[in-house]
Amino acid sequence: GSDWFLLVGDDTAIPAISTILETLPASASATVFLEVVDRDDEVVLPSHPNSTVTWLHRGPDPRHAGGPLEASLRNYQRPAGNGRIYVACEAGAMRRIRAQLLTDKSINREHLVTRGYWKLGETDHPDGDYGQDA
């Protein structure tokens, strides 16, 4: 029943975002922000008739993970209607983006799903990091 979707992620989220795009109704719009190292890491995503994809490049230094996503979302204007948001990336960036969406963009937390797939400087980060305590 959503009119629009915002899908945000880094390289680790490409499979999940691809699956989401494949299942969205054609009537819904989808805005996708994907962050990768550089142009060579861009891939072909499943087509969706009402989607726009923006590729963001963070460069090879993993300390910049999430920076381009955060910057792009500062300028994001959500469309009218009912929407849903999915964010999956480095855990610290995910928590900052989650806070930004909840506070600055006044997103209803029931319409937001967040996942911290990995954490800078940490091995074996739990994939159950949903950022709800942020």
Side-chain angles (χ1 to χ4, degrees), residues 8 48 96 113 126 128 133:
V8 179
H48 182 274
R96 291 187 301 273
V113 173
D133 59 354

Side-chain angles (χ1 to χ4, degrees), residues 11-75:
D11 345 44
T12 62
I14 291 173
I17 289 175
S18 293
T19 299
I20 293 168
L21 280 171
E22 289 174 335
T23 62
L24 291 182
S27 60
S29 67
T31 302
V32 181
F33 290 103
L34 280 167
E35 179 185 292
V36 294
V37 172
D38 58 33
R39 191 166 181 61
D40 292 338
D41 293 320
E42 295 178 15
V43 298
V44 176
L45 297 173
S47 66
H48 182 274
N50 295 313
S51 68
T52 59
V53 178
T54 302
W55 290 97
L56 307 166
H57 304 139
R58 68 173 169 271
D61 188 342
R63 293 176 295 179
H64 298 290
L69 289 173
E70 291 177 64
S72 292
L73 289 174
R74 279 188 205 102
N75 298 321

